[in-house]
């Protein structure tokens, strides 16, 4: 009977494996399949999943029928043996039958539990694909996605923002040197739309919002937060070309560390990760090479943003880059090889813009960048970025500043200079399986001390004026007990230095719970 059960269940397990292997991993890519192919693939996978689920039901029904037959035989055997004098061999036969039945029941329960878990995962996958059928006024598919994120934190040290610290500050005697709290302001909601073809290209658009836009001026509002536009874009995708407009990350900095404690700002922001979301126009050309490799050429126009917190909470103030009446220019050259889920990528980029300041001073902001993604064996991946430039505060670097203003120590005249900076970050990822990963990262943003020493700095109300360096060390564990459930503890150490100080430290401990949909 056990052999019969195994024979009945094996086809189901085999069918499950085939369906699971046919599902492509979720990856980000600039080029996507044509709409017809996409929906044909979804339809094929839904049909396969439905057939597999029906086959599982039939198999379970047959298995239950076999168990009932076995139970009937055992009951009949017990009735027969109770009517006769006990025979040693009959008792042994009955005991053997009971043992086999118990083993079969235990094995069946384990198999059913495993198949039920696989069924839950497949149903969740099917539900995700069903979202593409949300009806819109344009009658084109719309996908709803999001991340409900709960962050609990303990900050040991004085920081700039208790919800999402990026800077360590000096400690004042007689005051608290830390904080404990929780937040859901990093919860994210997103929409992804696919539109009609235009000039041979597939059109698409996406938008993402969170609740990290500030705190409303009302009672008991400190944990609520206000809605903020994170990024939005509209794209035209040809087979080898992509044109995009929107509020996105700079194309010279395409990567960010993996973290569920820093979602409202990418991990290692202001500590080596150039990340500012701002208006951008981008064009990418993909050039196929032999062996599945690709050479990517990107160019774009960038709207330089105001560094730091805006001084006006009603009107949008112009940045020094916007006052120069010229957009920033970007470019990136990349080489890509390997599989789509774990590619080998090397990239180099460049950026240039003008900045205008009071008194007629014109400065050049520039950056040279490099980025890498390197698979190491089956379980490890190394990724990161590096940069060198000047006037990078509007991109998220340069110790929170684009420029320094003061009195020239040689000429005695008022002078404004661009602040030179160097920095970058790197992360080592250990991916044990699809449910468990561990990440360790380090980031550094270092402004040149020589620029500070060349001036007698003008007094300023900006608390970040004398900050010259910011470092971070990050380690986290990400565990997904189910496909869309996330549990992630994280430790982050922040080390910040002012020009004439020994430096400040803060240790951040957080536990993060997420539900992705």
């Amino acid at each position: 009977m056990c052999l019969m059960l195994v024979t009945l269940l094996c086809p189901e397990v085999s069918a499950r494996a085939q369906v699971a292997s046919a599902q492509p991993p979720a990856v980000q890519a600039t080029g996507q399949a044509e709409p017809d192919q996409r929906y044909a693939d979804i339809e094929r996978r839904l049909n396969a999943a439905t057939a597999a689920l029906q086959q599982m039901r039939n198999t379970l029904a047959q298995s239950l029928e076999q168990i009932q037959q076995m139970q009937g035989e055992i009951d009949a055997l017990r009735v027969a043996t109770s009517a006769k004098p006990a025979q040693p061999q009959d008792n042994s036969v009955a005991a053997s039958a009971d043992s086999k039945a118990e083993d079969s029941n235990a094995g069946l329960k384990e198999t059913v539990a495993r198949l039920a878990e696989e069924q839950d995962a497949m149903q969740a996958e099917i539900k995700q694909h069903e979202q593409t059928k949300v009806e819109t006024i344009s009658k084109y598919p719309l996908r709803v996605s999001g991340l409900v994120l709960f962050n609990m934190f303990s900050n040991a040290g004085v920081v700039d923002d208790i919800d999402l610290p990026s800077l360590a500050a000096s400690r004042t005697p007689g005051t608290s040197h830390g904080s404990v709290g929780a937040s859901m302001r990093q919860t994210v909601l997103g929409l992804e739309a696919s539109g009609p073809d235009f000039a041979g290209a597939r059109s698409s658009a996406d938008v993402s919002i969170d609740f990290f836009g500030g705190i409303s001026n009302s009672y008991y509002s400190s944990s609520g937060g206000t809605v903020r536009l994170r990024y939005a874009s509209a794209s035209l995708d040809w087979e080898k070309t992509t044109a995009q407009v929107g509020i996105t990350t700079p194309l010279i900095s395409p990567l960010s560390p993996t973290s569920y404690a820093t979602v409202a700002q990418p991990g290692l922001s202001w500590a080596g990760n150039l990340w500012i979301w701002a208006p951008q126009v981008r064009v990418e050309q993909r050039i196929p090479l032999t062996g599945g490799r690709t050479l990517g050429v990107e160019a774009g126009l960038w709207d330089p943003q105001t560094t730091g917190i805006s001084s006006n909470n009603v009107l949008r103030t112009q940045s020094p880059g916007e006052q120069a009446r010229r957009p920033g220019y970007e470019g990136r050259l990349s080489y890509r090889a390997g599989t789509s889920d774990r590619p080998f990528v090397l990239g180099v980029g460049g950026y240039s813009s003008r900045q205008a300041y009071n008194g007629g001073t014109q400065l050049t902001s520039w950056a040279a960048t490099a980025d890498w993604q390197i698979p190491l064996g089956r379980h490890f991946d190394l990724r990161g970025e590096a940069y060198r430039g000047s006037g990078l505060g509007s991109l998220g670097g340069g110790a929170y500043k684009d420029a320094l203003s003061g009195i020239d120590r040689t000429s005695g005249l008022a002078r404004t200079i661009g602040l030179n900076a160097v920095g970058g970050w790197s992360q080592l990822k250990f991916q044990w399986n699809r449910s468990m990963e561990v990440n360790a990262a380090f980031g550094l943003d270092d402004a040149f001390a020589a620029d500070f020493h060349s001036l007698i700095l003008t007094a300023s109300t900006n608390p970040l004026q004398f900050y010259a360096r910011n470092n971070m060390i990050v380690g986290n564990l990400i565990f997904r007990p189910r496909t869309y459930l996330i549990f992630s503890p994280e430790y982050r150490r922040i080390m910040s230095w002012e020009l004439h100080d020994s430096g400040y430290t803060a240790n951040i401990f957080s536990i993060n719970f997420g539900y992705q949909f």
Side-chain angles (χ1 to χ4, degrees):
M1 290 297 179
C2 295
L3 180 60
M4 294 174 62
L5 289 173
V6 172
T7 304
L8 287 167
L9 292 175
C10 283
E12 175 59 24
V13 175
S14 174
R16 277 287 179 189
Q18 292 175 4
V19 174
S21 63
Q23 298 180 6
V27 295
Q28 293 183 346
T30 53
Q32 300 183 18
E34 294 293 330
D36 293 341
Q37 296 177 352
R38 179 183 178 189
Y39 295 119
D41 180 66
I42 293 175
E43 187 68 26
R44 178 184 59 78
R45 293 176 61 190
L46 288 175
N47 292 336
T50 302
L53 291 174
Q54 184 60 44
Q55 185 177 359
M56 186 185 73
R57 294 192 185 98
N58 296 337
T59 301
L60 291 177
Q62 294 174 3
S63 301
L64 291 174
E65 183 179 354
Q66 291 293 328
I67 290 175
Q68 291 174 355
Q69 293 177 359
M70 290 177 59
Q71 190 65 47
E73 293 176 2
I74 293 172
D75 293 340
L77 181 60
R78 285 175 176 169
V79 171
T81 54
S82 64
K84 296 181 180 181
Q87 299 293 332
Q89 60 272 23
D90 292 339
N91 290 337
S92 63
V93 170
S96 176
D98 288 342
S99 176
K100 289 181 180 179
E102 291 177 358
D103 292 343
S104 298
N105 287 334
L108 181 61
K109 289 179 180 179
E110 181 180 355
T111 303
V112 170
R114 185 177 67 253
L115 292 176
E117 182 176 351
E118 293 178 359
Q119 181 182 10
D120 290 341
M122 179 171 289
Q123 286 177 342
E125 181 80 9
I126 293 172
K127 289 179 181 179
Q128 180 182 9
H129 288 298
E130 286 289 346
Q131 292 181 42
T132 60
K133 296 184 179 180
V134 175
E135 185 175 359
T136 65
I137 191 172
S138 66
K139 304 302 181 182
Y140 286 97
L142 177 68
R143 181 186 178 200
V144 181
S145 62
L147 173 65
V148 178
L149 188 60
F150 181 76
N151 307 104
M152 296 190 303
F153 53 81
S154 173
N155 303 323
V158 181
V159 294
D160 57 336
D161 185 344
I162 67 169
D163 281 4
L164 207 165
S166 62
L167 178 75
S170 62
R171 304 187 179 192
T172 303
T175 62
S176 174
H177 297 157
S179 54
V180 173
S183 172
M184 295 192 72
R185 294 172 60 207
Q186 298 192 72
T187 293
V188 179
L189 300 176
L191 297 174
E192 300 175 16
S194 297
D197 289 353
F198 174 76
R202 186 186 66 84
S203 63
S204 62
D206 68 288
V207 63
S208 173
I209 63 173
D210 62 16
F211 302 88
F212 218 78
I215 303 298
S216 60
N217 185 19
S218 62
Y219 292 106
Y220 308 110
S221 62
S222 61
S223 61
T226 56
V227 176
R228 176 188 67 161
L229 178 64
R230 288 163 53 87
Y231 60 83
S233 68
S235 303
L236 291 175
D237 292 296
W238 289 268
E239 181 181 0
K240 300 178 182 178
T241 307
T242 295
Q244 182 188 67
V245 296
I247 297 177
T248 60
T249 57
L251 66 84
I252 60 173
S253 180
L255 306 176
S256 282
T258 305
S259 171
Y260 284 99
T262 55
V263 174
Q265 289 181 180
L268 301 179
S269 296
W270 306 104
N273 184 11
L274 304 180
W275 67 277
I276 299 296
W277 299 319
Q280 179 180 225
V281 178
R282 181 181 71 93
V283 176
E284 178 186 8
Q285 180 68 40
R286 296 174 291 277
I287 304 173
L289 304 176
T290 59
R293 297 167 296 173
T294 304
L295 183 67
V297 181
E298 299 174 77
L301 300 178
W302 178 259
D303 181 2
Q305 298 297 289
T306 300
T307 304
I309 300 175
S310 175
S311 59
N312 193 317
N313 61 0
V314 177
L315 302 177
R316 182 173 180 266
T317 58
Q318 56 189 358
S319 69
E322 292 171 327
Q323 290 186 77
R325 304 177 65 183
R326 198 193 81 176
Y329 302 125
E330 305 173 276
R332 180 172 176 263
L333 181 68
S334 62
Y335 169 83
R336 185 185 185 95
T339 60
S340 59
D341 57 335
R342 295 185 65 202
F344 174 86
V345 180
L346 295 177
V348 294
Y351 170 83
S352 176
S353 70
R354 297 288 292 173
Q355 296 178 352
Y357 294 90
N358 295 335
T361 301
Q362 294 273 337
L363 300 178
T364 298
S365 172
W366 65 274
T369 65
D371 59 87
W372 56 89
Q373 299 181 67
I374 305 174
L376 303 174
R378 290 183 55 192
H379 298 289
F380 289 92
D381 290 276
L382 181 69
R383 60 167 51 191
E385 298 173 336
Y387 59 84
R388 164 71 173 92
S390 177
L392 300 181
S394 58
L395 288 170
Y400 305 86
K401 296 176 288 298
D402 284 316
L404 297 174
S405 296
I407 304 300
D408 190 287
R409 292 183 181 273
T410 302
S411 65
L413 300 176
R415 186 182 174 199
T416 299
I417 63 173
L419 181 60
N420 289 280
V422 63
W425 63 272
S426 192
Q427 173 188 270
L428 180 64
K429 178 188 294 290
F430 174 68
Q431 184 90 40
W432 173 247
N433 52 40
R434 301 186 70 175
S435 300
M436 181 81 70
E437 69 177 73
V438 178
N439 299 285
F442 171 78
L444 162 70
D445 178 65
D446 190 5
F448 284 20
D451 291 340
F452 289 90
H453 293 310
S454 67
L455 299 175
I456 301 174
L457 296 178
T458 304
S460 172
T461 58
N462 182 6
L464 305 176
Q465 180 181 14
F466 292 101
Y467 275 84
R469 186 168 62 175
N470 200 39
N471 295 6
M472 286 191 196
I473 299 174
V474 178
N476 61 51
L477 167 71
I478 299 176
F479 174 57
R480 294 176 178 266
R482 287 292 186 269
T483 305
Y484 303 110
L485 300 180
I486 300 166
F487 170 72
S488 178
E490 179 172 302
Y491 166 73
R492 184 161 74 258
R493 181 175 177 84
I494 305 176
M495 297 158 283
S496 306
W497 285 267
E498 287 189 302
L499 184 63
H500 302 294
D501 197 275
S502 57
Y504 317 122
T505 62
N507 295 295
I508 315 302
F509 304 89
S510 65
I511 300 178
N512 312 284
F513 301 92
Y515 177 81
Q516 193 170 11
F517 61 92

